[in-house]
Structure formats: structure tokens, C-alpha cells
Amino acid sequence: LPSEHPTHTVVTNLFLTTTTMRMMSIRSLLSFLSFSVLLGCHSAFAVDRSDSNIAEYITDASNGFTFLSALVSAANAAQDLSADGPLTVFAPTNDAINELFALFPNAAQFASETELIQQVLNYHVVEGEILATDLSNGTIVTTVSGNTFAVNTGDDSVSLIADNGEGDIVATDALVSNGVIHTVDKVMIPQEVTDFFVRNCV
């Protein structure tokens, strides 16, 4: 049909409207799935990696924790993260660890401080299996380091409020043989480690 024909205009508008509705439906579905995963619909959306323990999952480069893996190696923590458990790990992303080192001019010194690395790692580990559905607003979580952080749940996010500020959980419920791993976009730093940086790295 010629472009100026009224029927052509109606069909075009109908196509555009239908396409827009489909795109909106897809966006709505993706938003719902993202929201559902974040809230911990683990029965449908959990990542089953029961063939690996926590240490193996973190050190597998395909999972994107290469910087965390380096810290685990530096702290000789792989054996602890391979224990029977169950344990829950809130694993910081590579970008989060990069931000940690960018905070202080001489933060590379941190890499040689095994005890400090262990303290930071332990601030991300909790005894027992905590699935995303267990993270309710206001919950205070005690880690194996003895330090605590608080859980804050929003409409479409779950954040952790630690000694050094707030970070978001960006992926949940990677189920491994000795526990579960959640991915966070911030390195949680105990106050005593921050104090060390202030005294020695600024």
C-alpha cells in the first residue's frame, strides 16, 4: 500500500503499539525476575554449583572473583573456605576490591598484611547457610570475625550496612557444596582495619 494510505497508517500504528507493549512486557518481566532473584526465590533461580565448595567457586576465574581469589590466596584462607560448613560468603566483586585499593595512596601495603586480609575476609563470612529469603530488613548479622553488619531491604534492592558504609547485594544464592555465596558491590572493612589504614597508609 502507498505510505499515505489510511489503512497503512492504522496498521503501522497498531504494529508500533503492539511492539511497544511487548517491549514494556519484557521490561516488566525482567524487572520482576530481577526483583524475585534479589528477594531470594532460590527454588526457581538459584545457581546450583554443588560440585564446588566456596574456595573452588571463588578461585574459578569464570565466576569473576579473580581479585577476591588473590586475597584468599594471600591470606591462606582457601582451607577455611573449603571446610564442611555450612558457611555463607558475601563475595565482593573485582570492581569493589579495586575501589578498596584506590582509597589509599599506599594501599598496596595491604597485600603484605596477612592478618588484616584475614580480618577483611572474615567480615564477609557467616557461619550457617543464609539464603536471600533469610535477609529481612533490620537483621543484624554477626560474621566469623565477630564484627556485624545490618541488612536493609528496599523495594528492589538489598543492601548491607557495614562499619565502612553501605553496599548492595547484586547477585544471590550461588549454592555450593558447603554453603552459599552472594555477590556484593562493596568490600566491607572492619573498623580496626580502617584504623590501620589511617595510621599507616595516608
Side-chain angles (χ1 to χ4, degrees):
L1 291 173
S3 59
E4 68 273 15
H5 196 285
T7 304
H8 179 272
T9 302
V10 171
V11 171
T12 301
N13 288 342
L14 179 61
F15 172 77
L16 290 174
T17 301
T18 303
T19 301
T20 300
M21 291 177 66
R22 285 177 177 170
M23 290 177 67
M24 290 176 65
S25 297
I26 291 172
R27 284 197 295 268
S28 297
L29 176 60
L30 290 175
S31 296
F32 170 76
L33 291 177
S34 175
F35 179 67
S36 297
V37 171
L38 204 51
L39 290 183
C41 294
H42 52 84
S43 59
F45 301 108
V47 177
D48 184 0
R49 288 296 304 272
S50 54
D51 57 329
S52 304
N53 61 39
I54 292 169
E56 291 167 340
Y57 184 90
I58 288 173
T59 55
D60 183 341
S62 66
N63 293 320
F65 294 109
T66 49
F67 291 175
L68 178 59
S69 174
L71 292 182
V72 168
S73 177
N76 299 313
Q79 184 173 352
D80 293 334
L81 295 176
S82 301
D84 290 341
L87 299 171
T88 298
V89 172
F90 295 87
T93 62
N94 285 341
D95 286 344
I97 295 174
N98 251 341
E99 290 177 9
L100 166 67
F101 282 91
L103 286 176
F104 304 96
N106 299 316
Q109 178 183 357
F110 180 62
S112 64
E113 299 287 344
T114 301
E115 185 177 341
L116 291 179
I117 296 174
Q118 288 173 340
Q119 286 179 274
V120 171
L121 291 177
N122 286 341
Y123 198 10
H124 296 76
V125 181
V126 181
E127 290 184 348
E129 185 178 74
I130 302 175
L131 299 173
T133 47
D134 301 319
L135 296 171
S136 57
N137 192 52
T139 298
I140 303 298
V141 178
T142 302
T143 68
V144 297
S145 69
N147 301 84
T148 63
F149 61 80
V151 177
N152 181 47
T153 58
D155 290 337
D156 57 356
S157 66
V158 178
S159 58
L160 309 179
I161 304 172
D163 288 352
N164 63 313
E166 185 172 344
D168 290 331
I169 296 179
V170 295
T172 64
D173 291 347
L175 304 178
V176 292
S177 62
N178 61 338
V180 60
I181 299 169
H182 309 296
T183 305
V184 295
D185 66 0
K186 185 178 184 67
V187 178
M188 298 188 290
I189 307 176
Q191 186 59 49
E192 54 268 32
V193 175
T194 299
D195 293 342
F196 170 86
F197 278 131
V198 171
R199 290 194 305 269
N200 300 281
C201 298
V202 176

